[in-house]
Each structure stands twice: as structure tokens, then as C-alpha cells.
């Protein structure tokens, strides 16, 4: 039996942007198993009503609970902004978001100056960042700017060159004009565009500005939370990653690989069975078919008796405890 502390972390987002949070978590908490759910069939959440976002978020969280997770990380600024309180009321396990960690890091970086926030329309309209900052520092002001085109650029992989820099400049101008002296990347897509945002912010402000990545800040908060609650895994080997999505577009593998920073397979539009990859690099068959022709659960059980998520990668370390040659597979599910 797997102990509660060795159960996986659950992480979800409206799409694939939350994989930047998974990437940060796998660096900061390399031994933790993670189950990620990207609601790619209903992305984006940023333009939805708060009521719809709450409904979608509860559905995603319940899928992860069904996978036996010990805590849920909401790797979506929109959900963290409008639905996290409801999730905490409805769910009987810890729920952590990305807003407060990002706000805390921004307050530390701004040193009392105005904080600029780039985010989705839903995140900015919610006022979540000003509330979070006010809970930490009553003297620090927040200026918000919805930046929907940055989401599209990140998903298309258009993160370098004149176009992303011009788009970043357009969104940054009102923030710098409002006196912002630090910028929070208030959407999980935006770390991919950090170089362009950083360069344009510096050009507009006349010098370098702190750029706060809420994904990294969230990973630090999660690590501290797990340690304080006695929930950090007892294992020392690299943890597994199970990747779930509600739709599998043709561009999936390229986009997911870009966000995660690891190879992802299964992006040709067809749902593939989860694959187990052992430390020796050998892939195992995920589905057992009995003599009666019935296929069985793809769950893999290790030699220590612990059952693993359908996707389990324990290959050689590439510097972040991950495989640099084996792709992370994906399971398509229905909500």
C-alpha cells in the first residue's frame, strides 16, 4: 500500500499552460509523483463566466481526487482567482493556487513600488492580485493588464523576434506608465515569453525590472507546504508524471513539450495508451489482455508493491531528475 504522503500531487489547468508549473514542481520536488490534467477541450477559461469556471474547476478536481492525489495545485491563474475558495469548501483535501505565491514574490521584489500584472481577462477582472497583495502589504499598489495575445503567441511557439516583442510592449506600456517597477507573469503561458517581456519592460522603464514567475513561486510554496504538513514523499527516486487531457489536438505534442520542457508523445490527434518506462529505459505494455479477451487496468505495480499512475517515467537523470530521451505519454479522458 502506498502511504498518504507517497500519494501523487494533483495539478490542473484549463489547458497546457499549467505544465510550466509542473516543470517548476519537478525541479523543486523531484521525488513527487504528479498527475496533471489539462482541460484542453474547454480552454480557455479566461473568457468564461465565474460560475462556469467554478463548475469546470470542480470537475477537474474530482477527476484528480479519483486518481488518489494527496493535494491539488491549481496551476491556472483564472481558477485561482475566481474558484479557489469554492474548491477549498467543496473538497476534503488541501488546495493550493498560484495567485498568493506570485503576489508574495512580487511584494518582495517591488520593495513598495507599484506591481504590474499581466494576465487573462478573467484574472485581471477578478481583482485577485490586488487583494492578495493588499493582504501582504497595504502600501503596495497593483496595476493590471489583460494580455490575451500573449497566450496565443505562447501556444504557437512564437516567442522570439519582433512580433512577440511588439505585442509585449503594447501590453506593458500602460503598466510602466502607471509606475510599475516589477511585473508578475500572471498566466502560466507567459514564462515562455519571459525574454521578450523582460526586454521590453527594461526598454520602457529605462532599466531592468524584476519579472516574477508565479510558476516558480508556486513550486516553492508547495514544497514548503508539503514539508510543514508532513506530506512530502518519503521516496528519493525521481517521481512519475501522469499527463491527462480532455482533448488531443494535432499540435498537442509540440505545445506540451514546449511548456513542460520534456518530450511529450501522442500528439498526432490519436489518443494513445499510457506507457510505463522503467529506469533501464525499457517500455512496458500498459494494457494486459486476459485469455477471455478482456483488457485490464493499465496501472503498473512496482516491486515495492506501490501502484503507479498510468504514465511513469523513471529514466536516467538529465539534471532535473527526468528522462531526456523517453517521451511522457498522455491519456485522453472525458469529464
Amino acid at each position: 500500500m502506498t502511504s498518504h504522503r507517497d500519494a501523487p500531487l494533483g495539478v490542473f489547468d484549463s489547458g497546457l499552460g499549467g505544465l510550466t508549473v509542473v516543470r517548476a514542481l519537478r525541479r523543486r520536488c523531484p521525488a513527487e509523483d504528479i498527475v496533471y490534467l489539462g482541460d484542453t477541450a474547454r480552454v480557455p477559461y479566461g473568457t468564461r463566466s465565474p460560475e462556469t469556471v467554478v463548475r469546470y474547476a470542480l470537475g477537474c478536481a474530482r477527476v484528480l481526487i479519483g486518481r488518489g492525489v494527496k493535494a491539488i495545485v491549481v496551476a491556472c491563474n483564472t481558477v485561482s482567482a475566481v474558484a479557489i475558495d469554492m474548491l477549498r469548501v467543496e473538497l476534503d483535501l488541501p488546495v493550493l493556487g498560484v495567485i498568493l505565491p506570485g503576489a508574495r514574490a512580487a511584494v518582495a521584489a517591488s520593495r513598495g513600488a507599484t506591481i504590474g500584472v499581466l494576465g487573462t481577462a478573467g484574472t485581471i477582472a477578478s481583482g485577485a492580485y490586488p487583494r492578495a497583495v493588499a493582504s501582504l502589504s497595504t502600501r503596495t499598489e497593483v496595476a493590471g493588464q489583460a494580455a490575451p495575445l500573449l497566450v496565443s503567441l505562447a501556444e504557437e511557439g512564437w516567442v522570439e523576434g519582433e512580433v512577440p516583442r511588439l505585442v509585449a510592449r503594447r501590453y506593458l506600456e500602460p503598466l510602466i506608465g502607471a509606475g510599475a517597477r516589477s511585473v508578475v507573469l500572471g498566466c502560466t503561458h507567459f514564462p515562455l515569453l519571459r525574454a521578450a517581456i523582460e526586454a521590453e519592460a527594461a526598454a520602457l522603464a529605462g532599466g531592468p525590472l524584476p519579472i516574477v514567475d508565479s510558476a516558480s513561486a508556486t513550486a516553492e510554496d508547495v514544497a514548503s507546504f508539503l514539508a510543514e504538513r508532513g506530506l512530502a514523499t518519503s521516496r528519493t527516486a525521481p517521481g512519475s508524471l501522469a499527463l491527462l487531457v480532455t482533448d488531443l489536438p494535432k499540435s498537442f505534442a509540440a505545445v506540451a513539450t514546449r511548456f513542460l520542457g520534456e518530450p511529450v508523445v501522442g500528439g498526432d490527434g490519436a489518443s494513445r495508451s499510457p506507457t510505463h518506462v522503467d529506469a533501464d529505459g525499457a517500455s512496458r505494455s500498459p494494457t494486459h489482455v486476459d485469455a477471455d479477451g478482456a483488457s485490464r487496468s493499465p496501472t503498473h505495480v512496482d516491486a515495492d508493491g506501490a501502484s503507479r499512475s498510468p504514465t511513469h517515467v523513471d529514466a536516467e537523470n538529465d539534471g532535473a531528475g527526468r528522462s531526456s530521451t523517453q517521451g511522457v505519454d498522455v491519456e485522453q479522458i472525458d469529464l
Side-chain angles (χ1 to χ4, degrees):
M1 292 287 293
T2 301
S3 69
H4 184 57
R5 66 185 295 189
D6 290 333
L9 280 172
V11 183
F12 79 88
D13 185 23
S14 58
L16 298 179
L19 289 173
T20 59
V21 176
V22 172
R23 184 176 187 171
L25 282 169
R26 279 160 75 77
R27 287 175 176 167
R28 182 63 182 82
C29 309
E32 296 287 349
D33 287 348
I34 296 174
V35 181
Y36 177 82
L37 171 58
D39 192 5
T40 48
R42 299 186 297 197
V43 67
Y45 284 9
T47 56
R48 311 280 186 174
S49 69
E51 295 77 15
T52 297
V53 172
V54 169
R55 186 171 73 253
Y56 287 177
L58 284 170
C60 291
R62 285 167 180 150
V63 168
L64 293 175
I65 290 172
R67 300 276 173 150
V69 302
K70 62 187 174 185
I72 290 178
V73 180
V74 179
C76 175
N77 280 266
T78 300
V79 175
S80 295
V82 305
I84 200 153
D85 290 338
M86 182 63 72
L87 290 173
R88 287 169 175 160
V89 168
E90 294 289 331
L91 306 178
D92 189 25
L93 80 174
V95 179
L96 299 91
V98 293
I99 300 289
L100 187 58
R104 187 179 294 113
V107 168
S110 69
R111 299 181 180 181
T114 298
I115 295 169
V117 179
L118 293 173
T120 65
T123 297
I124 299 303
S126 73
Y129 272 101
R131 287 196 301 274
V133 168
S135 72
L136 301 166
S137 171
T138 57
R139 298 180 299 122
T140 305
E141 296 185 358
V142 177
Q145 175 63 49
L149 284 180
L150 292 181
V151 175
S152 300
L153 289 173
E155 292 191 346
E156 290 295 325
W158 207 341
V159 298
E160 297 178 346
E162 184 179 11
V163 171
R165 289 186 64 150
L166 287 174
V167 173
R169 174 176 283 264
R170 179 67 177 267
Y171 290 138
L172 287 165
E173 282 176 339
L175 297 182
I176 305 304
R181 289 301 175 264
S182 64
V183 177
V184 178
L185 305 182
C187 173
T188 51
H189 285 64
F190 296 173
L192 274 69
L193 290 148
R194 178 170 184 149
I197 293 169
E198 202 164 34
E200 291 307 308
L204 289 167
L209 294 186
I211 305 297
V212 176
D213 179 355
S214 57
S216 297
T218 298
E220 290 295 331
D221 264 35
V222 171
S224 297
F225 177 86
L226 295 177
E228 291 167 2
R229 297 294 184 92
L231 289 174
T233 183
S234 62
R235 294 188 302 268
T236 57
S240 66
L241 174 61
L243 183 55
L244 315 176
V245 294
T246 54
D247 188 29
L248 202 59
K250 290 183 178 180
S251 62
F252 171 82
V255 176
T257 296
R258 197 177 303 129
F259 283 102
L260 183 61
E262 301 176 43
V264 176
V265 299
D268 56 3
S271 177
R272 297 188 182 177
S273 300
T275 302
H276 177 84
V277 182
D278 284 341
D280 58 4
S283 61
R284 309 301 182 195
S285 175
T287 305
H288 177 77
V289 181
D290 285 348
D292 60 3
S295 61
R296 304 303 180 197
S297 170
T299 302
H300 176 83
V301 179
D302 284 349
D304 60 3
S307 61
R308 304 299 183 195
S309 303
T311 303
H312 184 71
V313 179
D314 274 345
E316 290 301 315
N317 197 316
D318 68 351
R322 306 297 160 214
S323 169
S324 58
T325 57
Q326 298 291 342
V328 179
D329 213 334
V330 58
E331 179 184 352
Q332 185 173 338
I333 66 167
D334 293 321
L335 285 180

